[in-house]
């Protein structure tokens, strides 16, 4: 029984590490893409929430 618990813990730990690595990778990719955006073409607008 304890051996099965260790294996389950290792599998769960590996999955958590995999998910964290994917999220960090997507964040870095998003940051690279944002740096490449032509920000002079972006439009600004007033938020509707400010009027309330």
């Amino acid at each position: 029984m304890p051996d099965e618990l260790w294996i389950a813990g290792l599998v769960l730990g590996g999955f958590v590490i995999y998910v964290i690595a994917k999220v960090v990778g997507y964040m870095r990719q998003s940051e690279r893409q944002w740096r490449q955006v032509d920000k002079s073409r972006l439009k600004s607008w007033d938020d509707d929430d400010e009027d309330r």
Side-chain angles (χ1 to χ4, degrees):
M1 178 79 175
D3 291 338
E4 295 167 353
L5 192 60
W6 274 101
I7 292 171
L10 288 175
V11 169
L12 184 61
F15 179 73
V16 168
I17 290 172
Y18 170 79
V19 168
I20 291 172
K22 289 298 266 186
V23 168
V24 169
Y26 286 136
M27 287 173 57
R28 289 180 180 171
Q29 178 184 7
S30 174
E31 191 64 33
R32 280 193 305 269
Q33 289 173 340
W34 178 246
R35 278 189 252 121
Q36 293 174 352
V37 169
D38 182 10
K39 293 175 182 67
S40 65
R41 298 187 58 155
L42 295 177
K43 297 179 181 179
S44 62
W45 66 89
D46 294 329
D47 288 337
D48 294 335
D49 295 336
E50 293 178 2
D51 297 334
R52 295 181 193 176

